Amino acid sequence: MMVIVLAYSHDAAAYRLVERWRALGEDAVVVTGADLSRRGWRFVAGDPGATRIAVGERVVAGSEVRAIVIRMPMMSDGEIAHVHVEDRAYAASEMQAFLLAWTSSLSCTIVNQPTTCNLGGPAWHPAEWVRRARRLGLAACSYVVRSTAAEPAGGELRVDANAKFVDVVGRRAFAVGGRAPLPADDPAAGLALALARDAEVEMLRVYYELEDSGAPRFVEAGMWIDLDNDAIAEALTERCFGYVHASAQLAATAKVVHA
């Protein structure tokens, strides 16, 4: 059984995560936009066993996929440079539609579930994230809309270099560089986990700032988490393969991958 990481070709962290899994003896592969042009792909709606996936030099049945981790929000022209330039926009939109249909048809674990606007989860405007945070009773910064005669309406820049963040995998939250999940009663973890549950996603990065009282106040959210963090890699390993690798073993494979 194979685990696929659907990612951009420049996503070095996705490749390192797959190398960690391979070092542990697991079958894992990164699939990029260019891979969708390989011979062997076949999608049969409602029949994963008849669906075929071309990965590397292999063609495997859709039923052989154990899990998919999605790091690609949408197909871009830059991912399919092998396609004639005049055809790239059309080809990218067709690949986007194919990936949505394919991933939505599978019964395996998918992190995160695709939506019509984003293969990796919801594509919400920052104002929608703020609305949902407040609906959950969470403190959140205001999203200020500005516009001029020369510029269309838009929002102020929200996340800056001083922002703090928490990454969520499943039911666990991790501080930047953290070697273990944050405790359940940590306010920043509670904020992030509540938003992840509301968005129905398993991977989420939540940015926040601290109020004068020290309580976290929501700023922004996105799907791009730190796959190079050993604790996050271990959490994804458990989610995708159904068991927990010892932290020391994953850390050892990380040293080999980064060497």
Side-chain angles (χ1 to χ4, degrees):
M1 297 290 283
M2 171 187 295
V3 171
I4 290 173
V5 179
L6 182 62
Y8 291 126
S9 56
H10 63 263
D11 188 355
Y15 284 94
R16 287 191 289 266
L17 178 63
V18 164
E19 287 303 313
R20 288 181 187 231
W21 287 340
R22 289 177 176 173
L24 293 168
E26 300 293 354
D27 190 4
V29 65
V30 174
V31 170
T32 68
D35 292 311
L36 296 179
S37 295
R38 296 181 183 275
R39 291 184 178 181
W41 283 88
R42 183 175 67 178
F43 171 58
V44 181
D47 190 355
T51 294
R52 295 292 181 267
I53 303 162
V55 288
E57 302 301 319
R58 295 181 291 167
V59 176
V60 300
S63 57
E64 290 299 307
V65 178
R66 179 195 295 266
I68 301 177
V69 177
I70 301 180
R71 290 268 287 184
M72 181 189 294
M74 65 179 295
M75 183 60 64
S76 69
D77 294 7
E79 286 295 299
I80 51 174
H82 60 285
V83 175
H84 198 277
V85 64
E86 282 85 0
D87 298 327
R88 285 179 195 165
Y90 173 76
S93 65
E94 288 294 296
M95 288 180 176
Q96 177 86 3
F98 165 77
L99 287 171
L100 176 61
W102 170 56
T103 53
S104 299
S105 73
L106 299 175
S107 58
C108 65
T109 297
I110 298 183
V111 185
N112 288 320
Q113 286 287 343
T115 65
T116 54
C117 297
N118 186 339
L119 292 172
W124 290 335
H125 189 278
E128 175 63 12
W129 283 106
V130 168
R131 186 189 73 82
R132 286 174 175 265
R134 289 180 171 172
R135 188 190 66 189
L136 293 170
L138 305 171
C141 296
S142 297
Y143 186 80
V144 181
V145 176
R146 56 172 174 75
S147 64
T148 67
E151 296 181 5
E156 292 184 348
L157 181 65
R158 299 174 52 77
V159 177
D160 60 29
N162 296 318
K164 303 178 184 297
F165 64 85
V166 169
D167 284 346
V168 171
V169 178
R171 298 181 180 180
R172 285 170 282 183
F174 302 86
V176 56
R179 296 182 178 274
L182 291 169
D185 59 354
D186 183 276
L191 179 151
L193 290 168
L195 282 168
R197 286 193 299 269
D198 188 61
E200 298 182 342
V201 296
E202 296 188 66
M203 289 193 307
L204 184 69
R205 170 165 289 185
V206 172
Y207 296 89
Y208 67 95
E209 60 184 30
L210 294 177
E211 299 181 321
D212 293 340
S213 64
R217 179 167 55 185
F218 173 75
V219 177
E220 179 65 282
M223 309 298 162
W224 200 266
I225 69 172
D226 182 12
L227 299 184
D228 283 328
N229 181 308
D230 290 338
I232 288 175
E234 182 176 7
L236 281 171
T237 300
E238 180 181 354
R239 183 68 182 94
C240 293
F241 294 100
Y243 61 93
V244 182
H245 283 296
S247 297
Q249 188 177 6
L250 259 177
T253 63
K255 291 179 181 178
V256 172
V257 171
H258 287 281

